[in-house]
Amino acid sequence: MFVVNIVPRLGGLKCDFLLCKRVFTRAFSSRLVLGIETSCDDTGAAVMDETGVILGESLHSQKDVHLKTGGIIPAVAQRLHRENIARVVQEVLDKSGIGPRELSAVATTVKPGLALSLGVGLEYSLNFIQQHKTPFIPIHHMEAHALTVRMIQSVPFPFLVLLVSGGHCLLAVARDIDNFLLLGQTVDKSPGDILDKMARRLSLAKHPKCSMLSGGQAIELLALEGDRMKFLLKSPAGQQYGCNFSFAWVQNQVTQLINKKEEAEGIQEGEILSCVNDIAAVAQHTVASHIARRTHRAILFCKARGLLPQSNPSLVVSGGVASNTYIRETLKLVTDATNLDLFCPPPKLCTDNGVMVAWNGVEKLREGRGIMTHKDPIRYEPRAPFGTDISRQVKEAKIRLPTLKLKIRL
């Protein structure tokens, strides 16, 4: 159970750090990796050396196109990837001053993601490695997100990782670069997905402050001026002892609340409610609290089972929704209460990008793991498991959460 107080105070998280500006000195002895990301709606690429120095990066975002259609249309995303991938890759090669034959490997996201989008990235990569006879490293999208923080911060294995995005929500113990224990995942929708859909239902694209923002960004912005105590959303009945997430009930109850308020104010769907800020605040807080409770249980389970080091245990939070300041602050309070260090990549690296793929490729190249050639059979997987699933063990442990008095700093 969480007793939450809201304290209006400006201040950054100690875990929210900036990317260091680095000066690149060309070193031909260093191995180089080209990372390519096309798992959803962003076409990203980066060239990195094996020390983690970014030599060139480029990202083509499709956000403006999908904002107009109210969501990602796979066929549209596929077309835009095809139109931009060659240019994006050439840009990073030009920026880095690296020729294709100088690359030690090409690392590309092949799972999980939108099938049509993954297909574009893999097709381009296969043609590239066949032409230049470059080794290939297939990348798991969630593993790349989980390990991005190690590029800019020393976070030794094992550590707890929370991945929150528009397509996923999961908790896992990262034991090595390709060894994960899955503690829990969403059983229905992702937090990013429902935040976007609630923003769409609230017609926030018509709000003067939100016209150029994604749904999640719009909710976060309006919530700053809302009262999260204004309305009460009830979580599903019954004690839940596991770490699996469920967000569909949040969307359903917020939709019911919007319908009720539209009727009370005598407005039609598509018009902006007078209490829109309060609804945004309630929705965001409910999502954040649900994530915090599951993360709290995961921490207690890991401590009880000795899955984390006794000295300086860590929680890494990554994925697009990890850019949400309110959710980060909520998690910071949980880690403070349980004596964990909290690490979050900068917002720029929380969303999909070629840098995280290149870094994952670097770590695998160093260890000599998962390296393939153009002659090997390589395929993409829209659905792919993540690590070894021990979520049943978490549920069977029946860990009860202590009451925490939390002050969310804004």
Side-chain angles (χ1 to χ4, degrees):
M1 176 182 177
F2 284 80
V3 179
V4 183
N5 295 314
I6 307 297
V7 179
R9 184 181 70 80
L10 292 175
L13 295 172
K14 75 174 183 181
C15 61
D16 190 11
F17 40 79
L18 297 176
L19 279 171
C20 295
K21 203 171 183 180
R22 306 181 185 184
V23 178
F24 167 57
T25 301
R26 185 78 173 271
F28 289 98
S29 60
S30 180
R31 292 183 292 181
L32 308 170
V33 174
L34 167 65
I36 297 175
E37 159 63 25
T38 65
S39 67
C40 190
D41 61 334
D42 288 322
T43 311
V47 172
M48 180 181 294
D49 74 11
E50 62 183 324
T51 68
V53 174
I54 303 167
L55 310 184
E57 62 177 306
S58 181
L59 182 72
H60 176 82
S61 174
Q62 303 177 8
K63 184 179 78 170
D64 291 344
V65 174
H66 298 303
L67 278 175
K68 294 176 182 178
T69 59
I72 298 172
I73 300 174
V76 174
Q78 178 191 46
R79 174 177 58 80
L80 293 173
H81 281 307
R82 283 178 171 164
E83 291 176 357
N84 291 284
I85 188 168
R87 175 185 58 79
V88 167
V89 171
Q90 190 60 51
E91 281 180 1
V92 301
L93 293 175
D94 292 342
K95 289 178 181 179
S96 63
I98 300 298
R101 300 277 180 177
E102 295 179 81
L103 294 169
S104 303
V106 174
T108 302
T109 304
V110 300
K111 61 183 176 182
L114 297 177
L116 296 179
S117 295
L118 290 170
V120 174
L122 182 56
E123 180 183 19
Y124 179 88
S125 299
L126 292 179
N127 289 334
F128 188 98
I129 65 171
Q130 184 169 13
Q131 179 181 355
H132 302 293
K133 304 300 184 290
T134 311
F136 182 74
I137 304 175
I139 300 298
H140 190 299
H141 183 73
M142 306 313 295
E143 291 181 5
H145 270 305
L147 303 181
T148 300
V149 72
R150 284 167 49 84
M151 182 183 75
I152 48 180
Q153 191 80 11
S154 177
V155 184
F157 296 110
F159 58 85
L160 181 63
V161 60
L162 168 68
L163 302 181
V164 280
S165 69
H168 305 275
C169 189
L170 61 85
L171 281 158
V173 177
R175 300 196 294 182
D176 204 343
I177 60 173
D178 55 3
N179 187 341
F180 297 83
L181 297 178
L182 181 65
L183 306 178
Q185 60 187 324
T186 182
V187 297
D188 41 52
K189 300 186 177 184
S190 71
D193 179 44
I194 68 155
L195 288 172
D196 284 343
K197 288 180 177 176
M198 289 187 292
R200 198 176 310 150
R201 181 62 184 84
L202 286 166
S203 302
L204 297 190
K206 298 180 181 180
H207 196 288
K209 294 183 179 180
C210 305
S211 60
M212 299 304 294
L213 300 178
S214 68
Q217 291 171 334
I219 291 287
E220 182 177 8
L221 177 65
L222 297 186
L224 290 172
E225 300 177 4
D227 178 6
R228 72 98 185 163
M229 299 293 292
K230 188 76 172 181
F231 309 110
L232 176 65
L233 302 185
K234 297 181 179 179
S235 60
Q239 180 67 49
Q240 302 291 328
Y241 287 111
C243 284
N244 282 336
F245 300 87
S246 173
F247 296 97
W249 66 272
V250 182
Q251 181 184 343
N252 292 339
Q253 290 193 37
V254 169
T255 299
Q256 292 172 12
L257 176 61
I258 294 171
N259 292 339
K260 180 180 178 181
K261 291 302 174 181
E262 285 177 342
E263 183 178 354
E265 294 188 15
I267 67 174
Q268 300 294 318
E269 180 175 339
E271 298 180 70
I272 305 295
L273 286 165
S274 63
C275 59
V276 65
N277 293 348
D278 296 329
I279 293 178
V282 170
Q284 177 178 254
H285 173 73
T286 305
V287 169
S289 296
H290 181 54
I291 292 172
R293 285 193 294 270
R294 293 298 184 262
T295 303
H296 190 191
R297 178 171 287 114
I299 292 171
L300 298 181
F301 175 82
C302 288
K303 287 189 171 186
R305 295 297 178 93
L307 297 177
L308 297 177
Q310 293 185 352
S311 176
N312 300 318
S314 301
L315 169 67
V316 169
V317 183
S318 191
V321 178
S323 300
N324 183 293
T325 301
Y326 190 93
I327 291 175
R328 286 195 187 199
E329 288 282 1
T330 306
L331 291 166
K332 181 65 169 60
L333 297 170
V334 174
T335 54
D336 283 350
T338 52
N339 297 312
L340 263 72
D341 293 322
L342 176 61
F343 296 97
C344 307
K348 177 183 177 181
L349 295 181
C350 282
T351 54
D352 295 347
N353 59 84
V355 172
M356 70 177 192
V357 178
W359 171 249
N360 198 217
V362 164
E363 292 216 280
K364 291 188 174 183
L365 184 65
R366 286 175 181 168
E367 300 294 327
R369 302 184 196 176
I371 302 173
M372 309 176 75
T373 74
H374 67 281
K375 296 180 180 179
D376 294 319
I378 305 169
R379 61 188 178 89
Y380 63 84
E381 301 175 49
R383 295 179 179 273
F386 181 74
T388 301
D389 190 346
I390 63 167
S391 58
R392 182 179 293 274
Q393 295 179 34
V394 181
K395 185 175 182 179
E396 291 174 348
K398 294 186 177 180
I399 294 176
R400 294 181 179 273
L401 296 180
T403 299
L404 294 181
K405 293 182 179 181
L406 303 179
K407 296 180 180 180
I408 297 179
R409 303 168 184 176
L410 296 176

